[in-house]
Amino acid sequence: MIPSILYDLPVWFLSVLISGLAIAIMLGAYAGFRRLVRREFDSDDREVAMALLSVVSTITSLLLAFTAVSVWESHSAAEEAVVHEANTMDELSRDLSLFGSEASRDARERLRVYAQLVADKEWLDMRTGQANEEAWAAADAIFLAVAKMEPDTGKREALLPEIWGRTNELVGYRRDRLYTSQSEVPAA
């Protein structure tokens, strides 16, 4: 895992830091090699070294490209999961407001609390691939509040299955979001 302090650094600074460290390590290795091996290389040795260098840089470029594609796909999946969860929360909130009972207002308030916990606390926990227990409890509280809703009119009777469907969708999209937050670049 990456130390969490790296997430707080600006991207430009992190880029300069990583590039600078890589260049310093390479220059140090070059200087150390030149001191240990005091040999002059003829043109044949240089040609072999250049051919080998081109093979190594091609392989490195391909690995970098595969890594970039993997990171892009993970980012896209995470973005999709977040958008689906947010849209489902919005749709569920609208359905609950249309239901119009005291129990539905309670469920809507619990949904608001859940959204606030996700934004304020769980989002930070997801940096390290962790779920927030308080947010899980808030999601469970939404289920309990919806379970207390009793349809006493035809409109409410028609709306309740939709509310249950959206509540279940919300949990599914929550799991997707948490799963994608745990994705990492595969080890080479």
Side-chain angles (χ1 to χ4, degrees), residues 125-141:
D125 293 342
M126 285 173 39
R127 289 172 141 183
T128 58
Q130 301 297 315
N132 183 284
E133 292 302 320
E134 203 175 346
W136 269 119
D140 290 340

Side-chain angles (χ1 to χ4, degrees), residues 2-104:
I2 298 174
S4 62
I5 189 142
L6 294 179
Y7 290 112
D8 296 329
L9 295 175
V11 173
W12 68 267
F13 180 75
L14 195 57
S15 301
V16 169
L17 180 68
I18 291 172
S19 299
L21 285 173
I23 290 170
I25 290 170
M26 287 185 269
L27 288 175
Y30 174 75
F33 180 77
R34 295 290 290 178
R35 284 185 185 227
L36 292 174
V37 179
R38 298 182 186 266
R39 177 174 177 231
E40 288 299 318
F41 298 102
D42 58 17
S43 64
D44 288 338
D45 292 335
R46 290 187 186 113
E47 286 177 20
V48 169
M50 291 307 289
L52 192 60
L53 181 63
S54 68
V55 170
V56 168
S57 47
T58 300
I59 291 171
T60 304
S61 299
L62 286 173
L63 288 174
L64 183 61
F66 287 137
T67 301
V69 168
S70 175
V71 168
W72 183 261
E73 287 176 351
S74 293
H75 175 58
S76 296
E79 181 180 21
E80 185 177 326
V82 168
V83 167
H84 284 306
E85 185 181 16
N87 288 340
T88 303
M89 277 193 277
D90 180 52
E91 293 163 356
L92 180 57
S93 177
R94 288 176 188 224
D95 289 345
L96 290 169
S97 69
L98 287 175
F99 197 85
S101 71
E102 188 61 39
S104 70

Side-chain angles (χ1 to χ4, degrees), residues 96 99-109 145 148-149 156:
L96 290 169
F99 197 85
S101 71
E102 188 61 39
S104 70
R105 283 188 282 281
D106 181 48
R108 193 168 183 214
E109 174 60 22
K148 293 178 183 174
M149 294 169 51
R156 288 180 177 172

